[in-house]
Amino acid sequence: MNVVFLSPHYPPEMQQYARGLAEVGARVYGVGDTPRAGLSFDVRRTLTDYLEVPRILDEDDVIDRVSSWLRGRTIDRVLANWEVLVVLAARLRERWGVPGMGADTVEGFRDKQLMKERLRAAGLRVARSERVRTVREAREAAERIGYPLVLKPIAGAGSSDTYRVDTDDELDRALGRMGKVPEASCEEFIHGAEFTFDTICIGGRPMFENISSYLPKPLECKLHEWISPVVITVRDMGQPRFAPALDLGRKVLGALGMGDGFTHMEWFLTPSGEAVFGEIGCRPGGACLVDQMNYTIDADLFREWARAVCWQAFEASTERRYNVGIVFKRAKGRGHIKSIVGLDEFMRRHGQWVVEDKLLRPGQQRRNWQQTLISDGYLIMRHPDWDEAQKMAFSAATEVVLYAE
Ligand SMILES: Nc1ncnc2c1ncn2[C@@H]1O[C@H](COP(=O)(O)OP(=O)(O)OP(=O)(O)O)[C@@H](O)[C@H]1O
Ligand SMILES: [Mg+2]
Protein backbone atom coordinates (compact mmCIF):
# COMPACT_ATOMS: atom_id res chain seq x y z
CA MET A 1 0.00 0.00 0.00
CA ASN A 2 1.89 3.04 -1.30
CA VAL A 3 0.23 6.27 -0.21
CA VAL A 4 1.03 9.83 -1.22
CA PHE A 5 -0.06 12.07 1.65
CA LEU A 6 -0.03 15.79 0.96
CA SER A 7 1.36 18.14 3.60
CA PRO A 8 2.11 15.57 6.31
CA HIS A 9 3.56 18.20 8.66
CA TYR A 10 1.20 21.18 8.43
CA PRO A 11 -1.37 21.91 9.86
CA PRO A 12 0.01 20.10 12.93
CA GLU A 13 -2.79 17.52 13.15
CA MET A 14 -1.68 16.16 9.74
CA GLN A 15 1.15 14.51 11.62
CA GLN A 16 -1.43 12.33 13.35
CA TYR A 17 -2.94 11.19 10.04
CA ALA A 18 0.54 10.37 8.75
CA ARG A 19 1.10 8.32 11.87
CA GLY A 20 -2.26 6.56 11.38
CA LEU A 21 -1.32 5.64 7.82
CA ALA A 22 1.98 4.16 8.94
CA GLU A 23 0.25 2.24 11.74
CA VAL A 24 -2.11 0.47 9.35
CA GLY A 25 0.82 -0.65 7.23
CA ALA A 26 1.00 1.96 4.48
CA ARG A 27 4.26 3.22 3.03
CA VAL A 28 3.77 6.96 3.23
CA TYR A 29 5.26 9.36 0.66
CA GLY A 30 4.92 12.88 2.01
CA VAL A 31 4.81 16.00 -0.18
CA GLY A 32 4.90 19.45 1.35
CA ASP A 33 6.53 22.84 1.47
CA THR A 34 7.92 22.34 4.95
CA PRO A 35 11.70 22.05 4.52
CA ARG A 36 12.85 18.50 5.04
CA ALA A 37 15.00 19.61 7.97
CA GLY A 38 11.93 21.19 9.59
CA LEU A 39 9.92 17.95 9.75
CA SER A 40 9.34 16.76 13.27
CA PHE A 41 11.01 13.58 14.37
CA ASP A 42 7.62 11.87 14.56
CA VAL A 43 6.76 12.75 10.97
CA ARG A 44 10.16 11.71 9.64
CA ARG A 45 9.77 8.38 11.39
CA THR A 46 6.39 7.70 9.72
CA LEU A 47 7.42 8.69 6.18
CA THR A 48 9.00 6.34 3.70
CA ASP A 49 10.19 9.36 1.72
CA TYR A 50 9.47 13.08 1.42
CA LEU A 51 9.46 15.55 -1.45
CA GLU A 52 9.90 19.19 -0.57
CA VAL A 53 8.17 21.49 -3.05
CA PRO A 54 8.53 25.28 -3.17
CA ARG A 55 4.78 26.05 -3.15
CA ILE A 56 2.32 23.38 -2.07
CA LEU A 57 -0.66 25.46 -3.29
CA ASP A 58 0.71 25.76 -6.85
CA GLU A 59 -1.19 22.75 -8.20
CA ASP A 60 0.38 22.51 -11.67
CA ASP A 61 3.88 22.84 -10.29
CA VAL A 62 3.27 20.21 -7.59
CA ILE A 63 1.74 17.81 -10.13
CA ASP A 64 4.83 18.09 -12.35
CA ARG A 65 7.29 17.67 -9.52
CA VAL A 66 5.54 14.77 -7.82
CA SER A 67 4.98 12.98 -11.11
CA SER A 68 8.67 13.02 -11.95
CA TRP A 69 9.65 12.15 -8.38
CA LEU A 70 7.48 9.05 -8.32
CA ARG A 71 7.97 7.93 -11.93
CA GLY A 72 8.23 4.15 -12.05
CA ARG A 73 6.61 3.57 -8.66
CA THR A 74 3.09 2.22 -8.18
CA ILE A 75 0.92 4.51 -6.08
CA ASP A 76 -2.26 3.11 -4.53
CA ARG A 77 -3.71 6.19 -2.82
CA VAL A 78 -3.32 9.96 -2.96
CA LEU A 79 -4.71 11.60 0.16
CA ALA A 80 -5.10 15.04 1.68
CA ASN A 81 -6.92 16.07 4.84
CA TRP A 82 -6.26 19.80 4.56
CA GLU A 83 -9.07 21.66 2.80
CA VAL A 84 -6.86 23.65 0.43
CA LEU A 85 -5.28 20.44 -0.92
CA VAL A 86 -8.26 18.15 -1.52
CA VAL A 87 -8.63 19.19 -5.16
CA LEU A 88 -4.91 18.77 -5.81
CA ALA A 89 -5.09 15.24 -4.39
CA ALA A 90 -7.99 14.46 -6.73
CA ARG A 91 -6.11 15.84 -9.74
CA LEU A 92 -3.13 13.65 -8.90
CA ARG A 93 -5.40 10.61 -8.62
CA GLU A 94 -6.86 11.34 -12.02
CA ARG A 95 -3.48 11.96 -13.56
CA TRP A 96 -2.12 8.62 -12.33
CA GLY A 97 -5.34 6.56 -12.49
CA VAL A 98 -5.39 5.98 -8.73
CA PRO A 99 -8.72 4.94 -7.13
CA GLY A 100 -10.70 7.57 -5.22
CA MET A 101 -12.85 10.60 -5.90
CA GLY A 102 -12.08 12.56 -9.05
CA ALA A 103 -11.63 16.31 -9.27
CA ASP A 104 -15.19 17.04 -10.33
CA THR A 105 -16.60 15.13 -7.36
CA VAL A 106 -14.21 16.84 -4.97
CA GLU A 107 -15.12 20.27 -6.37
CA GLY A 108 -18.63 19.51 -5.08
CA PHE A 109 -17.13 19.44 -1.58
CA ARG A 110 -15.02 22.54 -2.09
CA ASP A 111 -17.03 25.05 -4.10
CA LYS A 112 -19.76 26.44 -1.85
CA GLN A 113 -22.06 27.35 -4.69
CA LEU A 114 -21.58 24.15 -6.66
CA MET A 115 -22.27 21.98 -3.60
CA LYS A 116 -25.52 23.79 -2.97
CA GLU A 117 -26.59 23.53 -6.59
CA ARG A 118 -25.97 19.79 -6.58
CA LEU A 119 -27.86 19.35 -3.33
CA ARG A 120 -30.74 21.54 -4.45
CA ALA A 121 -30.97 19.39 -7.58
CA ALA A 122 -31.20 16.35 -5.31
CA GLY A 123 -34.14 17.94 -3.51
CA LEU A 124 -32.31 18.75 -0.28
CA ARG A 125 -32.85 21.86 1.82
CA VAL A 126 -30.05 24.36 1.37
CA ALA A 127 -29.92 28.15 1.70
CA ARG A 128 -30.97 30.02 -1.44
CA SER A 129 -27.74 31.30 -2.91
CA GLU A 130 -26.05 32.78 -5.94
CA ARG A 131 -22.46 32.98 -7.11
CA VAL A 132 -21.37 36.62 -7.50
CA ARG A 133 -18.18 38.04 -9.00
CA THR A 134 -18.81 41.78 -9.09
CA VAL A 135 -20.42 44.44 -6.91
CA ARG A 136 -23.24 44.68 -9.41
CA GLU A 137 -23.92 40.94 -9.36
CA ALA A 138 -23.90 41.04 -5.57
CA ARG A 139 -26.46 43.86 -5.46
CA GLU A 140 -28.70 42.07 -7.93
CA ALA A 141 -28.46 38.80 -6.04
CA ALA A 142 -29.24 40.62 -2.77
CA GLU A 143 -32.34 42.07 -4.39
CA ARG A 144 -33.56 38.61 -5.35
CA ILE A 145 -32.61 36.85 -2.12
CA GLY A 146 -33.58 39.61 0.34
CA TYR A 147 -32.18 40.49 3.77
CA PRO A 148 -30.82 39.22 6.03
CA LEU A 149 -28.22 37.49 3.90
CA VAL A 150 -24.70 36.16 4.16
CA LEU A 151 -21.85 37.09 1.86
CA LYS A 152 -18.84 34.77 1.92
CA PRO A 153 -15.99 33.56 -0.29
CA ILE A 154 -16.79 30.59 -2.54
CA ALA A 155 -13.66 28.82 -1.29
CA GLY A 156 -13.52 30.15 2.25
CA ALA A 157 -12.29 28.78 5.53
CA GLY A 158 -12.34 29.88 9.13
CA SER A 159 -15.24 32.30 8.53
CA SER A 160 -12.80 34.71 6.91
CA ASP A 161 -14.41 37.50 4.85
CA THR A 162 -17.83 36.20 5.87
CA TYR A 163 -20.50 38.82 6.64
CA ARG A 164 -24.08 38.90 7.75
CA VAL A 165 -25.78 41.71 5.85
CA ASP A 166 -29.07 43.30 6.91
CA THR A 167 -29.28 46.50 4.85
CA ASP A 168 -28.08 48.06 1.59
CA ASP A 169 -25.51 50.07 3.56
CA GLU A 170 -24.14 46.95 5.19
CA LEU A 171 -23.97 45.29 1.79
CA ASP A 172 -21.83 48.14 0.46
CA ARG A 173 -19.59 47.97 3.50
CA ALA A 174 -19.15 44.19 3.20
CA LEU A 175 -18.41 44.46 -0.52
CA GLY A 176 -15.84 47.14 0.24
CA ARG A 177 -14.01 44.73 2.53
CA MET A 178 -14.13 41.83 0.08
CA GLY A 179 -11.98 43.43 -2.60
CA LYS A 180 -9.53 40.52 -2.66
CA VAL A 181 -12.17 37.79 -2.87
CA PRO A 182 -12.56 36.72 -6.52
CA GLU A 183 -15.90 34.93 -6.15
CA ALA A 184 -18.46 35.04 -3.39
CA SER A 185 -21.61 33.24 -2.42
CA CYS A 186 -24.55 35.50 -1.65
CA GLU A 187 -27.07 33.55 0.35
CA GLU A 188 -30.19 33.55 2.45
CA PHE A 189 -29.37 33.89 6.16
CA ILE A 190 -30.55 30.76 7.98
CA HIS A 191 -31.80 31.36 11.51
CA GLY A 192 -31.21 28.77 14.18
CA ALA A 193 -28.55 26.86 16.06
CA GLU A 194 -25.53 25.51 14.21
CA PHE A 195 -24.12 21.99 14.37
CA THR A 196 -21.68 19.71 12.60
CA PHE A 197 -22.29 16.32 11.04
CA ASP A 198 -19.03 14.44 10.66
CA THR A 199 -18.30 11.02 9.24
CA ILE A 200 -15.69 8.53 8.23
CA CYS A 201 -17.07 6.90 5.09
CA ILE A 202 -16.27 3.85 3.06
CA GLY A 203 -17.77 4.10 -0.39
CA GLY A 204 -19.96 6.97 0.77
CA ARG A 205 -21.45 4.95 3.66
CA PRO A 206 -20.70 6.32 7.13
CA MET A 207 -18.84 3.87 9.35
CA PHE A 208 -18.78 6.54 12.02
CA GLU A 209 -21.02 9.55 12.52
CA ASN A 210 -20.80 12.53 14.84
CA ILE A 211 -22.85 15.58 15.66
CA SER A 212 -21.41 18.48 17.59
CA SER A 213 -22.96 21.71 18.75
CA TYR A 214 -21.38 25.13 18.13
CA LEU A 215 -21.99 27.51 21.03
CA PRO A 216 -22.40 30.10 19.69
CA LYS A 217 -22.30 30.05 15.87
CA PRO A 218 -18.81 30.41 14.33
CA LEU A 219 -19.75 33.69 12.65
CA GLU A 220 -20.53 35.25 16.03
CA CYS A 221 -17.29 33.90 17.51
CA LYS A 222 -15.46 35.59 14.66
CA LEU A 223 -17.12 38.94 15.34
CA HIS A 224 -16.60 39.26 19.10
CA GLU A 225 -13.22 38.77 20.70
CA TRP A 226 -14.68 38.47 24.21
CA ILE A 227 -16.46 35.20 23.34
CA SER A 228 -14.86 31.91 24.39
CA PRO A 229 -16.02 29.61 21.57
CA VAL A 230 -17.39 26.27 22.81
CA VAL A 231 -17.96 23.13 20.74
CA ILE A 232 -19.50 20.02 22.33
CA THR A 233 -19.88 16.62 20.67
CA VAL A 234 -23.36 15.21 21.25
CA ARG A 235 -23.28 11.85 22.96
CA ASP A 236 -26.95 11.03 22.30
CA MET A 237 -27.47 11.41 18.57
CA GLY A 238 -30.69 9.39 18.82
CA GLN A 239 -32.67 12.40 20.09
CA PRO A 240 -35.65 13.03 17.81
CA ARG A 241 -34.51 16.60 17.11
CA PHE A 242 -31.46 15.22 15.29
CA ALA A 243 -33.33 12.78 13.05
CA PRO A 244 -33.82 15.29 10.19
CA ALA A 245 -30.12 16.16 10.28
CA LEU A 246 -28.94 12.56 10.13
CA ASP A 247 -31.26 11.98 7.20
CA LEU A 248 -30.05 15.17 5.49
CA GLY A 249 -26.38 14.38 6.16
CA ARG A 250 -26.55 10.86 4.73
CA LYS A 251 -28.40 12.09 1.64
CA VAL A 252 -25.82 14.84 1.14
CA LEU A 253 -23.06 12.21 1.03
CA GLY A 254 -24.94 10.28 -1.61
CA ALA A 255 -25.84 13.33 -3.69
CA LEU A 256 -22.25 14.58 -3.80
CA GLY A 257 -20.77 11.16 -4.54
CA MET A 258 -18.68 10.72 -1.41
CA GLY A 259 -16.10 7.94 -1.56
CA ASP A 260 -13.73 6.98 1.28
CA GLY A 261 -12.57 9.25 4.08
CA PHE A 262 -13.60 11.99 6.46
CA THR A 263 -16.40 14.45 5.87
CA HIS A 264 -17.19 17.56 7.90
CA MET A 265 -20.58 19.17 7.33
CA GLU A 266 -22.15 22.18 9.02
CA TRP A 267 -25.90 22.57 9.28
CA PHE A 268 -28.56 24.66 10.98
CA LEU A 269 -31.44 23.53 13.17
CA THR A 270 -34.14 26.12 12.57
CA PRO A 271 -36.68 27.19 15.20
CA SER A 272 -39.27 25.05 13.39
CA GLY A 273 -37.08 21.94 13.74
CA GLU A 274 -35.92 21.77 10.15
CA ALA A 275 -32.31 20.80 9.30
CA VAL A 276 -30.78 23.09 6.68
CA PHE A 277 -27.48 22.36 4.96
CA GLY A 278 -24.66 24.86 5.53
CA GLU A 279 -21.49 23.51 3.93
CA ILE A 280 -19.44 20.33 3.66
CA GLY A 281 -15.82 19.34 3.11
CA CYS A 282 -14.39 15.93 2.22
CA ARG A 283 -11.83 16.20 5.00
CA PRO A 284 -11.98 16.24 8.81
CA GLY A 285 -12.97 19.29 10.81
CA GLY A 286 -10.07 21.24 12.26
CA ALA A 287 -9.61 22.88 15.66
CA CYS A 288 -9.22 19.56 17.51
CA LEU A 289 -12.59 18.17 16.39
CA VAL A 290 -11.06 14.77 15.71
CA ASP A 291 -9.55 14.74 19.20
CA GLN A 292 -12.99 15.53 20.59
CA MET A 293 -14.53 12.68 18.60
CA ASN A 294 -11.78 10.38 19.87
CA TYR A 295 -12.62 11.31 23.45
CA THR A 296 -16.31 10.77 22.68
CA ILE A 297 -15.89 7.11 21.74
CA ASP A 298 -12.47 6.37 23.26
CA ALA A 299 -10.95 5.49 19.91
CA ASP A 300 -8.18 6.65 17.59
CA LEU A 301 -9.91 7.99 14.51
CA PHE A 302 -6.63 9.15 13.01
CA ARG A 303 -5.82 5.48 12.64
CA GLU A 304 -9.37 4.35 11.77
CA TRP A 305 -9.48 6.93 8.98
CA ALA A 306 -6.26 5.45 7.63
CA ARG A 307 -7.68 1.94 7.84
CA ALA A 308 -10.83 3.05 6.02
CA VAL A 309 -9.03 4.77 3.16
CA CYS A 310 -6.32 2.13 2.73
CA TRP A 311 -8.13 -1.12 3.47
CA GLN A 312 -11.87 -0.26 3.36
CA ALA A 313 -12.23 -1.39 6.96
CA PHE A 314 -13.25 0.30 10.21
CA GLU A 315 -12.50 -1.49 13.47
CA ALA A 316 -13.25 0.90 16.36
CA SER A 317 -16.35 0.63 18.51
CA THR A 318 -18.58 3.63 17.82
CA GLU A 319 -20.41 3.46 21.15
CA ARG A 320 -20.72 7.02 22.37
CA ARG A 321 -19.64 7.39 25.98
CA TYR A 322 -19.24 11.12 26.53
CA ASN A 323 -20.27 14.59 25.48
CA VAL A 324 -16.90 16.18 24.86
CA GLY A 325 -16.56 19.94 25.15
CA ILE A 326 -13.73 22.14 23.98
CA VAL A 327 -13.47 25.70 25.25
CA PHE A 328 -11.18 28.11 23.40
CA LYS A 329 -9.88 31.01 25.45
CA ARG A 330 -8.93 34.48 24.23
CA ALA A 331 -6.83 36.50 26.63
CA LYS A 332 -7.84 40.00 27.65
CA GLY A 333 -5.19 42.52 26.61
CA ARG A 334 -2.36 42.31 24.09
CA GLY A 335 1.17 41.00 24.19
CA HIS A 336 2.23 38.19 26.47
CA ILE A 337 0.10 36.14 28.83
CA LYS A 338 0.48 37.63 32.29
CA SER A 339 -1.81 35.53 34.46
CA ILE A 340 -4.64 33.02 34.46
CA VAL A 341 -7.49 33.58 36.88
CA GLY A 342 -10.06 30.95 37.86
CA LEU A 343 -8.25 27.93 36.49
CA ASP A 344 -7.27 26.47 39.87
CA GLU A 345 -10.83 26.76 41.13
CA PHE A 346 -12.20 25.27 37.91
CA MET A 347 -9.81 22.32 38.16
CA ARG A 348 -10.67 21.83 41.81
CA ARG A 349 -14.33 21.45 40.90
CA HIS A 350 -14.12 19.69 37.53
CA GLY A 351 -10.58 18.42 37.18
CA GLN A 352 -11.64 14.77 37.07
CA TRP A 353 -13.48 15.42 33.79
CA VAL A 354 -10.79 17.52 32.13
CA VAL A 355 -8.83 15.55 29.53
CA GLU A 356 -6.61 18.27 28.05
CA ASP A 357 -5.29 21.60 29.21
CA LYS A 358 -3.54 23.36 26.34
CA LEU A 359 -3.98 26.93 27.57
CA LEU A 360 -1.08 29.25 26.96
CA ARG A 361 0.87 30.00 30.11
CA PRO A 362 2.32 33.25 31.54
CA GLY A 363 5.22 34.46 29.43
CA GLN A 364 3.87 33.09 26.16
CA GLN A 365 2.94 35.40 23.29
CA ARG A 366 -0.80 35.80 22.59
CA ARG A 367 -2.01 34.47 19.25
CA ASN A 368 -3.89 36.58 16.71
CA TRP A 369 -7.46 35.65 17.60
CA GLN A 370 -8.75 36.52 14.11
CA GLN A 371 -6.33 34.15 12.45
CA THR A 372 -6.28 31.12 14.71
CA LEU A 373 -9.04 28.65 15.44
CA ILE A 374 -7.42 27.55 18.70
CA SER A 375 -7.20 31.05 20.19
CA ASP A 376 -4.87 31.33 23.20
CA GLY A 377 -5.30 27.66 23.91
CA TYR A 378 -8.12 25.45 25.08
CA LEU A 379 -9.47 23.05 27.65
CA ILE A 380 -11.12 19.77 26.66
CA MET A 381 -13.53 18.16 29.13
CA ARG A 382 -16.08 15.39 28.95
CA HIS A 383 -19.10 14.10 30.81
CA PRO A 384 -21.62 11.32 30.11
CA ASP A 385 -24.50 13.73 30.88
CA TRP A 386 -25.21 16.53 28.38
CA ASP A 387 -26.34 19.13 30.90
CA GLU A 388 -23.30 18.56 33.08
CA ALA A 389 -20.98 18.76 30.08
CA GLN A 390 -22.57 22.00 28.93
CA LYS A 391 -22.55 23.56 32.40
CA MET A 392 -18.90 22.66 32.82
CA ALA A 393 -17.97 24.08 29.40
CA PHE A 394 -19.83 27.32 30.06
CA SER A 395 -18.17 27.67 33.41
CA ALA A 396 -14.74 27.32 31.77
CA ALA A 397 -15.89 29.86 29.17
CA THR A 398 -16.91 32.46 31.73
CA GLU A 399 -14.89 31.79 34.88
CA VAL A 400 -11.43 31.01 33.52
CA VAL A 401 -9.81 34.25 32.31
CA LEU A 402 -6.42 34.77 30.71
CA TYR A 403 -4.83 38.22 31.00
CA ALA A 404 -2.14 39.54 28.69
CA GLU A 405 -0.08 42.73 28.64
N1 LIG B 1 -26.52 30.98 4.95
C1 LIG B 1 -26.10 31.20 6.21
N2 LIG B 1 -26.99 31.51 7.19
C2 LIG B 1 -26.58 31.75 8.46
N3 LIG B 1 -25.30 31.73 8.84
C3 LIG B 1 -24.36 31.43 7.93
C4 LIG B 1 -24.70 31.13 6.57
N4 LIG B 1 -23.57 30.87 5.89
C5 LIG B 1 -22.56 30.99 6.78
N5 LIG B 1 -23.02 31.33 8.00
C6 LIG B 1 -22.23 31.54 9.22
O1 LIG B 1 -20.90 31.85 8.84
C7 LIG B 1 -20.00 30.82 9.26
C8 LIG B 1 -18.93 30.61 8.22
O2 LIG B 1 -19.51 30.19 7.00
P1 LIG B 1 -18.98 28.87 6.31
O3 LIG B 1 -19.00 27.76 7.27
O4 LIG B 1 -19.70 28.70 5.04
O5 LIG B 1 -17.51 29.33 5.97
P2 LIG B 1 -16.09 28.77 6.32
O6 LIG B 1 -15.25 29.98 6.34
O7 LIG B 1 -15.77 27.67 5.42
O8 LIG B 1 -16.20 28.19 7.75
P3 LIG B 1 -15.19 27.29 8.58
O9 LIG B 1 -13.96 27.06 7.80
O10 LIG B 1 -15.00 28.15 9.80
O11 LIG B 1 -15.99 26.10 8.85
C9 LIG B 1 -20.89 29.62 9.50
O12 LIG B 1 -20.33 28.73 10.41
C10 LIG B 1 -22.16 30.28 10.03
O13 LIG B 1 -22.03 30.61 11.40
MG1 LIG C 1 -17.74 26.51 8.01
Side-chain angles (χ1 to χ4, degrees):
M1 175 60 55
N2 290 327
V3 175
V4 170
F5 185 50
L6 301 179
S7 201
H9 183 91
Y10 183 85
E13 66 267 28
M14 296 304 142
Q15 304 178 26
Q16 301 267 34
Y17 301 108
R19 166 189 58 81
L21 288 166
E23 284 174 356
V24 300
R27 292 165 58 85
V28 187
Y29 294 87
V31 177
D33 54 14
T34 306
R36 186 179 268 269
L39 297 177
S40 69
F41 173 74
D42 283 342
V43 170
R44 251 178 287 169
R45 207 178 41 176
T46 59
L47 298 182
T48 298
D49 203 352
Y50 180 73
L51 176 70
E52 181 188 332
V53 296
R55 296 171 306 278
I56 191 68
L57 298 182
D58 183 342
E59 294 192 359
D60 293 326
D61 182 66
V62 174
I63 290 172
D64 285 346
R65 288 172 192 271
V66 182
S67 297
S68 45
W69 180 54
L70 292 173
R71 189 150 298 137
R73 246 172 298 199
T74 309
I75 296 300
D76 303 290
R77 301 283 183 271
V78 182
L79 305 170
N81 273 342
W82 185 20
E83 174 78 359
V84 292
L85 298 178
V86 293
V87 173
L88 172 59
R91 289 184 63 194
L92 285 166
R93 288 194 288 268
E94 282 185 346
R95 162 90 171 235
W96 303 336
V98 170
M101 288 184 280
D104 179 67
T105 305
V106 169
E107 283 290 353
F109 288 88
R110 176 81 178 120
D111 181 311
K112 290 184 190 196
Q113 179 61 18
L114 186 60
M115 67 180 69
K116 287 202 279 288
E117 281 166 13
R118 289 181 180 177
L119 296 177
R120 216 173 278 133
L124 301 177
R125 174 68 172 106
V126 303
R128 281 199 296 137
S129 65
E130 292 185 34
R131 184 191 303 271
V132 296
R133 294 194 180 84
T134 62
V135 168
R136 185 156 151 218
E137 283 176 10
R139 291 213 180 99
E140 286 168 3
E143 186 102 337
R144 282 188 288 271
I145 292 168
Y147 298 120
L149 55 80
V150 168
L151 205 57
K152 64 191 188 189
I154 287 281
S159 304
S160 59
D161 287 311
T162 298
Y163 304 98
R164 173 181 166 150
V165 174
D166 285 72
T167 62
D168 288 344
D169 280 352
E170 284 179 20
L171 179 64
D172 286 342
R173 238 173 296 150
L175 289 168
R177 293 203 203 105
M178 290 181 86
K180 286 195 302 285
V181 175
E183 283 186 309
S185 171
C186 180
E187 55 189 68
E188 166 194 6
F189 183 90
I190 306 294
H191 294 275
E194 193 171 344
F195 296 84
T196 72
F197 170 67
D198 311 277
T199 76
I200 293 177
C201 283
I202 297 176
R205 271 197 44 231
M207 300 291 114
F208 165 77
E209 293 178 327
N210 176 73
I211 287 176
S212 39
S213 171
Y214 286 133
L215 300 161
K217 298 167 65 157
L219 187 52
E220 264 147 58
C221 297
K222 187 77 179 189
L223 288 177
H224 308 289
E225 185 177 7
W226 60 266
I227 291 177
S228 297
V230 171
V231 182
I232 311 178
T233 63
V234 174
R235 180 187 182 194
D236 177 12
M237 296 197 307
Q239 301 167 56
R241 69 188 185 122
F242 291 128
L246 292 173
D247 183 53
L248 172 72
R250 291 166 192 157
K251 285 180 176 155
V252 164
L253 299 171
L256 295 180
M258 181 60 199
D260 302 337
F262 266 108
T263 62
H264 171 58
M265 178 177 122
E266 294 173 328
W267 59 277
F268 303 94
L269 181 57
T270 69
S272 70
E274 191 185 20
V276 181
F277 174 85
E279 64 158 343
I280 189 167
C282 53
R283 46 93 187 167
C288 309
L289 184 54
V290 177
D291 298 294
Q292 278 184 275
M293 298 192 295
N294 284 340
Y295 286 121
T296 302
I297 62 171
D298 278 327
D300 180 353
L301 293 174
F302 297 104
R303 193 194 303 148
E304 289 315 311
W305 161 79
R307 203 188 310 283
V309 293
C310 290
W311 309 112
Q312 277 68 51
F314 185 94
E315 290 179 6
S317 156
T318 55
E319 186 197 343
R320 298 176 78 80
R321 297 159 182 261
Y322 297 98
N323 306 280
V324 179
I326 188 164
V327 183
F328 300 98
K329 297 303 301 185
R330 293 156 173 178
K332 296 192 188 304
R334 316 235 154 267
H336 294 81
I337 305 297
K338 193 82 185 157
S339 62
I340 305 182
V341 171
L343 182 60
D344 290 344
E345 171 63 14
F346 179 82
M347 291 304 283
R348 205 181 49 70
R349 280 189 289 135
H350 304 293
Q352 67 173 125
W353 304 110
V354 174
V355 290
E356 279 189 29
D357 168 2
K358 294 278 170 63
L359 296 174
L360 294 186
R361 288 299 194 265
Q364 287 182 287
Q365 173 77 44
R366 267 206 76 184
R367 301 191 181 113
N368 180 335
W369 71 280
Q370 294 274 14
Q371 276 164 21
T372 166
L373 287 172
I374 59 170
S375 305
D376 293 321
Y378 53 85
L379 294 167
I380 304 182
M381 60 211 69
R382 62 182 186 176
H383 199 285
D385 180 76
W386 172 265
D387 290 340
E388 290 300 320
Q390 184 170 341
K391 250 193 285 172
M392 194 161 41
F394 284 179
S395 116
T398 53
E399 289 158 26
V400 177
V401 185
L402 278 67
Y403 290 95
E405 68 175 47

